[in-house]
Amino acid sequence: MVGDDMVLLDMLIREKGFISGEAIAERLKVSRTAVWKKIKTLRGQGFHIESQPNLGYCLISCPDKLLPVFIKRELKTDFIGQEVYYYPVTTSTNVLAKELASQGAREGTLVIAEEQTQGRGRMGREWLSPANKNILISLILRPHLSPIQVSYITMIASLSVVKTIEALTPLESSIKWPNDIMIRGNKVGGILTEFSAEQDQVVYVVVGIGVNMNFDPTIYPEIAYSATSIYLELGQEISRLKFLVGLLQEMEKEYKELQAGKGLLIVKEWRNSLMTLNKEVRVVSEQGTLEGMAEDVDEHGALILRLASGQQIKIYTGDVSLQMNKA
Amino acid sequence: MVGDDMVLLDMLIREKGFISGEAIAERLKVSRTAVWKKIKTLRGQGFHIESQPNLGYCLISCPDKLLPVFIKRELKTDFIGQEVYYYPVTTSTNVLAKELASQGAREGTLVIAEEQTQGRGRMGREWLSPANKNILISLILRPHLSPIQVSYITMIASLSVVKTIEALTPLESSIKWPNDIMIRGNKVGGILTEFSAEQDQVVYVVVGIGVNMNFDPTIYPEIAYSATSIYLELGQEISRLKFLVGLLQEMEKEYKELQAGKGLLIVKEWRNSLMTLNKEVRVVSEQGTLEGMAEDVDEHGALILRLASGQQIKIYTGDVSLQMNKA
């Protein structure tokens, strides 16, 4: 939906009552039949629009969807989210975004789904989300980074989620190494970063962000005790659109800082948002299970673990759980 | 070309003179017409096969091409090169291999081109090669590596080229950091490693290998003073097929060692083949031009440079040239 359609929607939203087809036709410089066709398109997208022979059209309600037309009305960014691919239902926004990126899609391109049939978390795990309830997006970025620095992108994505929660709600969230967003010990969001690179230069990064918004995870037995949502924590629904716009604006701000060479400041800020440090943790990785004190992270985000033997090791990938009995 | 076609070619190669169409039909359990069609296919691929009404068929010469049928006859590997995509001419073997890999092609899949219309080196540079003269291949690998370890793949590819040159010729070659193969100061081959990854796990690596074989680079002004070839150094042509088979077998051996956890041994061996160390070098990188002593490489292959100020810095990407006046 672009140009004319957005102007039409703007008119309908601003007008509190009915607006005549004639007035619309005049403003858009199109025929009355063309106006009627545009109204039909909007209705198809879930807009409830009444029509009366002598009065014209009146917008009764907007669909609870993250339509590009809504985003464009609100978003103040230079490039992130300026190009939007919107899907009521798709396999996985990351899969689509990777295809678009390899075909040359420009930096900042946003892929949104209301529902995913093959939503994934890290390590190929399922990411559960009913339709029209949460935020399921992927962003295409083309940073000047070496592959070793791609973790910066995961860091700014998770920081942006934390900051957006902080800006729009009274909730406190933190980051569980390496890429989960947590509220009171339960998972409210996650980041899935995938990328394509040459030996020493990233070609593109696709960063997938999932945030549980107006969704009740307690009705799904498989995640009832590990997941939460903004709705569940707050006791009320909040505007997904407002959250998404805030998140994208925050992402752009952080990304610009990263590209301006402030990577180490970002690591520091990310480190301060980690709930994982100075705690006894258990790490399950391909190399096996390790237990120890999570002492720090290095400049690329690797976890520095102190084993009971006193030995210090770096962990690049794995699942962390806190050892609550020792904490 | 598989199954029947390979058996037919085997029969023609073993038979010193003519072999009757009847004998072939009997062996392959097909009709005489089917035999004639297979002969036609071979001719289309450049095999010169004579036919005489009462004698049958006689193989006069084979095309000077790296046909899969030739490779399969010689290659002793478990997976590298067991699946082959062969193109007389294509855009770029790395581009094709990335497409195949993202569609699920299995580990070890080999893409061969006799000629590339968009051959590339690192950083998007052109890779010049006339048809049917050199080795232009890409391999698809699916190693258990984190993105930070992908340099191992470049290392085993360059080591394999050096070892194959050593095994088949009296020539001495060495590696110019990070990915060029050199003979007497000129470039004889290069590696272009590209990969797709999640944050902490490689999904696939495509390693492109180009080696100048039976080619005279001195007739191309743009590379006359920087490139060389096996032919130019040796004064005679050598079998591209033999070289390719040796290279693939060496690659598989090194790759198995890497996956068995011998990465650090590979770095050590690669380091010993580097011509770049303990020399005054100039490095041109995105960060600008730096001069200093190339003291060492780290465990991921990054170059450790000692500046005139005494400061030690690590370089992950760049072009190195030796400062011959100081060497």
Side-chain angles (χ1 to χ4, degrees), chain A residues 74-103:
Chain A
E74 305 286 337
L75 191 66
K76 286 168 192 67
T77 55
D78 290 334
F79 55 95
I80 285 187
Q82 287 300 320
E83 183 106 42
V84 183
Y85 289 80
Y86 171 88
Y87 298 89
V89 59
T90 189
T91 50
S92 143
T93 57
N94 262 35
V95 168
L96 283 176
K98 282 193 286 180
E99 278 176 24
L100 290 165
S102 69
Q103 289 158 17

Side-chain angles (χ1 to χ4, degrees), chain B residues 113-127:
Chain B
E114 299 290 4
E115 190 181 357
Q116 291 184 138
T117 56
Q118 291 167 34
R120 288 173 310 136
R122 237 170 18 117
M123 301 171 182
R125 290 172 193 143
E126 200 182 354
W127 183 270

Side-chain angles (χ1 to χ4, degrees), chain B residues 30-51:
Chain B
V30 298
S31 70
R32 292 287 298 273
T33 316
V35 170
W36 182 81
K37 276 187 186 158
K38 285 177 196 300
I39 292 287
K40 206 176 144 191
T41 302
L42 286 174
R43 281 176 175 157
Q45 288 172 344
F47 291 89
H48 182 186
I49 300 167
E50 264 200 27
S51 58

